[in-house]
Amino acid sequence: MGILGRVILRLMPITPKFFIRWVANRYVAGSDLSDAVEVMKKISLEKACFTVDVLGEEISKIEEADYFINEYSNLIDAIVKNNLDANISLKPTAFGLLIDYDIALVNIEKISRKAAEGQIFVRLDMEDHRVTQSTIDVVKAMHNRGLTNVGTVLQGRLFRTNQDIDDLSSSLRGVSDVRICKGIYLEPANIAHRGYQDIVDATNSAIDRLLETSSYTAIATHDMPIIKHSLNAIAIRGMGPGIEDPREGVSSWGLGKGEGYEFQMLLGVRGNVRRNLAKQGHRTRVYVPYGKRWYEYSIRRLRENPDVAWHIAKSMIMPWTNRR
Ligand code: FDA
């Protein structure tokens, strides 16, 4: 971490909320659903589609899940009403996964069923290792109840990921849809890679495995070595923009998906790389977070990625570079 990063992290606890909000503005759509809709309408001009996240995670009382059920329900209505090319991402612990598996299942089913009626895909974000297996179990349970519009995320850094890819691909019979990312949680060394290169190599290997097992492969990264690896992995399998997914056992993906794969990036991060991929014809999806918990999310992003400090400095000196 550079000196600037260290200084900004130190100053965060005494930084006025209005300043954090100004910084967050690039990474968070806003506090209300209407803010998210506005942001999507603007960015859709860049040939992007979206996955929308209502900010917030692990609840401590099961009743708190009601807020997320209501908000996601309104979100689905807004996507349909505004005819947006968007799906939704939700955190299972916000629906009670760490409190009561069966209640969480009922809560997630409510949203997934409503989403299915609107032809909308539901992505269960992957949280830390306490819920890796239960999140996968929820996906399988949804498919068993006929809700094939549900998929999840796997993290390249976890040693178990290639087995999870095989498991999902065989259990979901041709409709496995996985977002693959490095994984944001610092997991114990006995279950996860911890060095940068090991994580990149493992994530690239997971991307290859997803492509080989005919899973829909949503590549979520801003890291150029992984993007380059993915572009090559897609091309050597005869996949690419405008080409129907040639893999065995795969039919048309529907639900606003691409030709067997897509690239996903966070709102406000490396928009130039995303726009370039879109120009080349690849399906690109922006992860759009919004909600009342914008402050906590922004502080987490700042801690997570000291590069943000550089973006802050740059956007103060050259405001025109502060583009989502
Ligand atoms: P890396 O961190 O090396 O980033 C490469 C460059 O991108 C950085 O140098 C920086 O310039 C820029 N950058 C990256 N992240 C940034 C940020 N937050 N702010 C500003 N600049 C940034 N993880 C998880 O455990 N479960 C999940 O469900 C998801 N879901 C998810 C969805 C989407 C759409 C994305 C893009 C990522 C996730 N992640 C996630 C997070 C993921 O696991 C990973 O932690 C981050 O994407 C950072 O890793 P990169 O591969 O982008 O590389």
Side-chain angles (χ1 to χ4, degrees), residues 138-198:
V138 174
V139 175
K140 291 187 195 166
M142 292 300 131
H143 279 247
N144 285 337
R145 293 168 192 202
L147 293 166
T148 55
N149 61 324
V150 181
T152 189
V153 181
L154 295 175
Q155 297 144 324
R157 72 165 68 223
L158 292 188
F159 297 153
R160 57 178 288 168
T161 288
N162 277 344
Q163 276 119 279
D164 289 334
I165 292 172
D166 293 350
D167 173 30
L168 279 172
S169 129
S170 62
S171 343
L172 306 187
R173 293 174 295 275
V175 283
S176 161
D177 178 331
V178 174
R179 173 195 298 153
I180 179 76
C181 61
K182 285 180 184 167
I184 210 163
Y185 305 91
L186 269 187
E187 301 288 14
N190 62 327
I191 60 163
H193 299 285
R194 305 188 91 182
Y196 168 79
Q197 195 54 50
D198 288 339

Side-chain angles (χ1 to χ4, degrees), residues 27 51 89 91 123-128 153-155 157 179-185 196 200 219-224 226 264-270 285-287 297 301-302 304-305 307-308 311:
Y27 304 100
T51 187
S89 285
K91 299 220 164 24
R123 174 88 54 200
L124 305 189
D125 281 345
M126 187 54 85
E127 301 168 84
D128 66 75
V153 181
L154 295 175
Q155 297 144 324
R157 72 165 68 223
R179 173 195 298 153
I180 179 76
C181 61
K182 285 180 184 167
I184 210 163
Y185 305 91
Y196 168 79
V200 169
I219 303 149
T221 185
H222 317 93
D223 204 13
M224 287 318 293
I226 299 182
Q264 300 191 348
M265 296 191 191
L266 303 174
L267 180 67
V269 181
R270 296 218 154 151
R285 191 176 298 276
V286 183
Y287 187 100
Y297 176 84
R301 284 270 169 260
L302 284 165
E304 234 161 57
N305 199 320
D307 280 7
V308 172
H311 291 302

